[in-house]
């Protein structure tokens, strides 16, 4: 019996211990595509991997097409984990990105544009199709239009303007799939970090807002972030586990003969510019390593209160992007000989929008002739996103205080009945 068949039987043996035998035939068909990387694992590695698979991977039968909508503004690992869980429930995941004007009517304008949010959702490796959603709340007619049998959402209640459950029609029709909301990070939290970041650094002088009204710094300081919200923002950090890393990981390694490409950076607050440069970097080879600087390195380069997201959060975000094969954590700022040799790097690439210090980090790859610069089409940066917060600080302070209180209330009073997939 060849090695592939041996591993298939090994996989089925694990399932037989935990699930009904009638599921096995279906699983055997799905195995070769969905868990092909197990063939490259040792028995001990495969045992660990299989023991940590969510039960829905081999339990409840998946729906054919599942619809999941969202704003996906300042996309983070909580968004990606929701998409991962939704994908576990279906064969094809259709994602609706809510239009900016619909978001504005429901809870105020988003920070990112429709195009930027679409780019991020489309780049997620768990997303199969992306559509624009015209309304804030989905309807049965909308998901029918996309040939979806069910809609998915986290276990946090979504209310309409009149206080009703926005998903009640789907629940009544038994067309609803619910997964656990990811705790510890949210768009509201990230906006809070950006607001705290800009308070002392960027507001010493008068600022002109979009409506051309001049606001004194003293007036801005009088509308502070609620103290409870500040403490929650600083203390309510995402608690990652090795299981979460495994859930996001591709479990891939370069194959013999692969051209290995390396790109590094902060990757703080994922945006369309990151997606563009990562896609172009992957197109230059077969396997893409992404090196991520640690928090201290970023702070030395950029100063202020950077990075906005910590190392764990940034690593998870990158692992969710379809162009990224593997992430190297806490890489040196200067690409050195050890890094190139250890990972057998054939090409080191850099985006034209990357921020350098006086000391060129790519001196060695340039000398070795393995350096290439990628021309950035979209020149978006994290600084630009912060400027959007700054130029509308009063509006975002009000929005932050309101939404943060709702989040605190949710986590204090929520009855945790839904297990994470």
């Amino acid at each position: 019996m060849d090695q592939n068949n041996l591993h298939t039987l090994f996989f089925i043996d694990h399932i037989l211990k935990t699930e009904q035998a009638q599921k096995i035939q279906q699983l055997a068909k799905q195995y070769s595509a969905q868990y092909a990387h197990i063939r490259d694992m040792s028995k001990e590695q495969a045992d660990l991997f299989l023991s940590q698979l969510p039960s829905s991977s081999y339990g409840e039968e998946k729906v054919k097409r599942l619809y999941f909508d969202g704003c996906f503004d300042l996309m983070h690992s909580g968004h990606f984990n929701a998409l991962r869980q939704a994908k576990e429930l279906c064969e094809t995941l259709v994602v609706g990105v809510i239009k900016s004007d619909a978001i504005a009517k429901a809870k105020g304008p988003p920070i990112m544009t429709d195009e930027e949010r679409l780019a991020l959702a489309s780049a997620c490796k768990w997303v199969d199709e992306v559509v624009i959603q015209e309304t804030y709340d989905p309807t049965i007619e909308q998901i029918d239009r996309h040939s979806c049998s069910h809609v998915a959402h986290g276990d946090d209640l979504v209310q309409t303007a009149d206080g009703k459950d926005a998903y009640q029609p789907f629940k009544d029709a038994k067309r609803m799939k619910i997964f656990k909301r990811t705790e510890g990070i949210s768009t509201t939290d990230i906006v809070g970090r950006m607001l705290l970041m800009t308070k002392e650094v960027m507001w010493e002088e008068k600022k002109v807002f979009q409506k051309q009204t001049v606001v004194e710094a003293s007036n801005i300081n009088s509308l502070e972030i609620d103290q409870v919200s500040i403490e929650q923002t600083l203390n309510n950090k995402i608690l990652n586990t090795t299981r979460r890393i495994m859930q996001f990981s591709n479990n891939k390694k370069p194959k013999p003969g692969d051209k290995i490409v390396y790109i590094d950076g902060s990757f703080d607050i994922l945006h369309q510019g990151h997606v563009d440069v990562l896609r172009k970097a992957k197109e230059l080879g077969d396997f893409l390593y992404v090196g991520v600087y640690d928090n201290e390195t970023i702070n030395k380069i950029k100063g202020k209160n950077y990075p906005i997201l910590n190392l764990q959060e940034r690593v998870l975000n990158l692992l969710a992007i379809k162009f990224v094969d593997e992430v190297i954590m806490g890489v040196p700022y200067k690409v050195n000989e050890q890094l190139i040799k250890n990972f057998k790097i054939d090409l080191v690439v850099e985006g034209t929008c990357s921020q350098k210090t006086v000391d060129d980090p790519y001196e060695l790859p340039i000398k070795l002739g393995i350096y290439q610069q990628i021309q950035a089409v979209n020149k978006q940066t994290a600084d630009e996103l912060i400027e959007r917060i700054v130029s509308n600080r009063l509006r975002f302070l009000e929005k932050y205080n309101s939404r943060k209180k709702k989040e605190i209330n949710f986590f204090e009073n929520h009855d945790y009945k839904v297990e994470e997939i």
Side-chain angles (χ1 to χ4, degrees):
M1 183 178 289
D2 65 26
Q3 187 181 16
N4 288 356
N5 288 334
L6 264 175
H7 277 284
T8 302
L9 288 175
F10 175 60
F11 176 79
I12 290 174
D13 179 62
H14 276 265
I15 304 303
L16 279 168
K17 293 175 183 176
T18 54
E19 293 295 327
Q20 298 177 356
Q22 60 260 36
K23 297 287 184 183
I24 299 306
Q25 187 175 4
Q26 177 186 356
L27 282 165
K29 293 177 182 178
Q30 295 175 352
Y31 163 69
S32 60
Q34 191 173 1
Y35 298 114
H37 54 274
I38 295 178
R39 293 197 299 265
D40 298 323
M41 294 182 179
S42 66
K43 185 179 184 302
E44 291 75 19
Q45 289 173 319
D47 192 22
L48 176 62
F49 175 80
L50 292 168
S51 70
Q52 299 190 56
L53 279 175
S55 60
S56 62
S57 293
Y58 46 81
E60 181 182 354
E61 188 172 349
K62 295 183 178 184
V63 301
K64 294 288 185 183
R65 290 174 64 84
L66 181 66
Y67 189 83
F68 177 47
D69 76 323
C71 302
F72 305 110
D73 197 22
L74 295 180
M75 208 159 175
H76 52 72
S77 60
H79 289 129
F80 289 125
N81 195 42
L83 291 165
R84 181 193 64 79
Q85 292 185 83
K87 178 61 178 175
E88 286 287 346
L89 298 169
C90 66
E91 294 179 10
T92 300
L93 180 60
V94 182
V95 171
V97 178
I98 304 170
K99 286 194 70 173
S100 294
D101 55 357
I103 299 172
K105 289 178 184 177
K107 59 180 187 180
I111 296 164
M112 289 183 164
T113 66
D114 289 348
E115 180 187 357
E116 291 163 355
R117 293 181 293 111
L118 274 167
L120 287 171
S122 300
C124 176
K125 67 184 180 183
W126 294 296
V127 175
D128 298 301
E129 299 176 19
V130 177
V131 297
I132 278 285
Q133 183 171 301
E134 300 288 339
T135 60
Y136 186 74
D137 298 313
T139 65
I140 288 179
E141 291 74 21
Q142 282 176 332
I143 71 165
D144 284 344
R145 197 181 310 137
H146 300 296
S147 302
C148 295
S149 61
H150 292 70
V151 70
H153 198 274
D155 60 346
D156 48 325
L157 179 66
V158 178
Q159 292 182 325
T160 59
D162 54 2
K164 295 180 180 179
D165 183 349
Y167 286 84
Q168 195 60 50
F170 298 98
K171 294 175 182 176
D172 292 342
K174 300 188 183 306
R175 298 179 65 177
M176 181 85 190
K177 296 286 185 180
I178 298 175
F179 53 81
K180 188 177 183 295
R181 171 174 169 160
T182 305
E183 299 177 35
I185 189 167
S186 68
T187 299
T188 303
D189 277 318
I190 295 173
V191 170
R193 298 182 205 184
M194 294 165 114
L195 287 168
L196 288 171
M197 196 177 163
T198 62
K199 179 183 172 185
E200 295 179 359
V201 178
M202 302 181 181
W203 285 94
E204 290 83 9
E205 301 176 358
K206 299 177 181 180
K207 298 293 179 182
V208 180
F209 282 70
Q210 289 181 342
K211 293 183 179 180
Q212 303 303 312
T213 55
V214 179
V215 181
E216 297 284 350
S218 59
N219 293 336
I220 291 167
N221 289 333
S222 68
L223 203 158
E224 297 292 351
I225 301 177
D226 180 83
Q227 186 61 37
V228 176
S229 298
I230 292 177
E231 293 173 0
Q232 191 76 3
T233 292
L234 295 175
N235 297 328
N236 190 31
K237 295 180 180 178
I238 190 167
L239 300 175
N240 289 318
T241 61
T242 53
R243 180 172 185 267
R244 176 59 49 78
I245 294 291
M246 286 190 70
Q247 288 169 338
F248 275 55
S249 175
N250 295 313
N251 291 297
K252 292 173 66 176
K253 60 182 180 181
K255 299 187 297 295
D258 277 354
K259 181 179 181 181
I260 300 173
V261 181
Y262 173 82
I263 186 171
D264 59 15
S266 306
F267 299 101
D268 192 16
I269 306 293
L270 276 184
H271 51 69
Q272 191 175 5
H274 289 139
V275 169
D276 289 344
V277 76
L278 289 170
R279 183 184 65 254
K280 288 184 176 182
K282 180 59 186 285
E283 289 171 353
L284 293 172
D286 303 299
F287 193 95
L288 178 62
Y289 279 116
V290 179
V292 187
Y293 303 144
D294 61 27
N295 301 333
E296 293 75 18
T297 299
I298 296 171
N299 190 255
K300 287 179 182 177
I301 297 169
K302 303 191 72 172
K304 301 176 186 175
N305 291 325
Y306 286 103
I308 299 163
L309 300 182
N310 64 39
L311 179 61
Q312 297 175 40
E313 293 165 342
R314 292 181 283 117
V315 167
L316 288 176
N317 287 346
L318 285 166
L319 285 172
I321 300 301
K322 64 179 67 173
F323 313 115
V324 177
D325 292 304
E326 181 63 292
V327 174
I328 309 173
M329 297 175 278
V331 296
Y333 178 64
K334 290 194 71 170
V335 178
N336 58 32
E337 186 178 6
Q338 180 187 11
L339 183 70
I340 293 171
K341 285 186 175 180
N342 281 2
F343 295 97
K344 300 178 181 178
I345 296 167
D346 298 304
L347 181 66
V348 176
V349 300
E350 175 197 15
T352 52
C353 285
S354 62
Q355 185 173 344
K356 292 182 180 178
T357 61
V358 176
D359 196 13
D360 188 352
Y362 304 108
E363 182 180 355
L364 179 59
I366 290 172
K367 182 179 178 181
L368 295 174
I370 60 169
Y371 168 85
Q372 183 173 333
Q373 195 171 69
I374 297 176
Q375 189 64 39
V377 176
N378 186 298
K379 298 184 179 181
Q380 190 174 39
T381 63
D383 287 336
E384 179 190 333
L385 294 173
I386 290 176
E387 284 299 327
R388 295 182 193 181
I389 298 282
V390 170
S391 62
N392 294 277
R393 186 163 194 231
L394 285 175
R395 187 188 80 203
F396 282 111
L397 275 169
E398 292 169 340
K399 182 177 175 180
Y400 172 81
N401 285 335
S402 172
R403 294 191 62 80
K404 194 61 195 178
K405 287 176 183 177
K406 290 180 182 178
E407 285 191 4
I408 293 170
N409 181 66
F410 169 77
F411 288 117
E412 287 179 348
N413 299 293
H414 189 55
D415 184 10
Y416 294 96
K417 294 181 179 179
V418 179
E419 293 292 331
E420 182 172 276
I421 300 172

